[in-house]
Amino acid sequence: MPLPFLTADRVFEAADDVPLPYDDRDRWRRPYRPGPWRVAAAALALLLASFVLFAAVIIAATAEPASAGLVFTLALLVIVAALRLLRMGVWVSARGLRHVGFLTTRTAPWEQVTSVRTVQQPVRWLGLPRTVQGQALLLARQGRPADGLPPLLTTHNADFLGRTEAFDRAADSVEAWAEEYGPR
């Protein structure tokens, strides 16, 4: 009994000229993986949200529905915050460069990007007010001062703390995107 779905010589129905999902340059993608600090913080927030959701179920069974609704809303806010925390970072596509923060998102079309460069400077440690000496990936745009913008990536943020090789690869990747799609 032949099993054609298990053999390597089967004929594919899909067209060969369809790009693979990772080849689509028009989709926004993060050129690096989220770091362990960011993933751990999001995991702890989701763990907290599960306890809050459990509390909402108990409150719904024993108390007023309004109280349960309030606790359920709090759990949803914690879940949204955890997902937003995972979404933070630098995203690139053929259209431009996007810097996603916790509350804000800034998008720069490649036509406006004058340079993306890595510099040695004091950087914030895990986003806290304390600064340490490190590297930062800076974006310079046409018609805007480079001083006012926060760095895109740093060696001491939640994605790259203790992972300098990962920072170097991510910075090189973003710089390569800027070189490829930036103004000529």
Side-chain angles (χ1 to χ4, degrees), residues 7-173:
T7 62
D9 59 348
R10 64 184 171 154
V11 177
F12 292 103
E13 286 95 24
D16 292 335
D17 60 346
V18 176
L20 296 171
Y22 58 84
D23 284 340
D24 188 10
R25 298 286 209 173
D26 290 329
R27 292 185 60 172
W28 290 101
R29 70 184 69 200
R30 187 187 345 226
Y32 58 91
R33 287 188 295 230
W37 290 92
R38 186 175 309 282
V39 172
L44 286 175
L46 290 173
L47 182 65
L48 173 69
S50 70
F51 288 123
V52 174
L53 282 172
F54 186 66
V57 169
I58 290 174
I59 291 171
T62 59
E64 299 177 6
S67 301
L70 182 66
V71 174
F72 183 73
T73 304
L74 177 67
L76 286 180
L77 288 175
V78 172
I79 291 170
V80 167
L83 293 177
R84 187 64 183 184
L85 184 67
L86 288 174
R87 182 111 172 109
M88 288 172 58
V90 175
W91 297 74
V92 291
S93 79
R95 291 175 277 174
L97 185 136
R98 182 173 284 175
H99 186 222
V100 178
F102 190 72
L103 296 175
T104 61
T105 299
R106 292 185 310 274
T107 302
W110 289 120
E111 295 81 31
Q112 293 181 1
V113 174
T114 57
S115 71
V116 177
R117 58 190 166 81
T118 304
V119 296
Q120 188 84 16
Q121 71 177 30
V123 295
R124 296 173 80 182
W125 184 78
L126 287 178
L128 299 172
R130 178 176 178 236
T131 60
V132 294
Q133 192 65 26
Q135 291 183 334
L137 184 68
L138 298 179
L139 169 70
R141 295 175 66 175
Q142 293 175 353
R144 299 209 180 164
D147 301 342
L149 293 176
L152 297 174
L153 306 171
T154 68
T155 53
H156 290 79
N157 69 3
D159 289 323
F160 302 110
L161 185 64
R163 300 175 45 211
T164 55
E165 300 86 18
F167 172 80
D168 292 337
R169 283 192 308 270
D172 290 344
S173 177

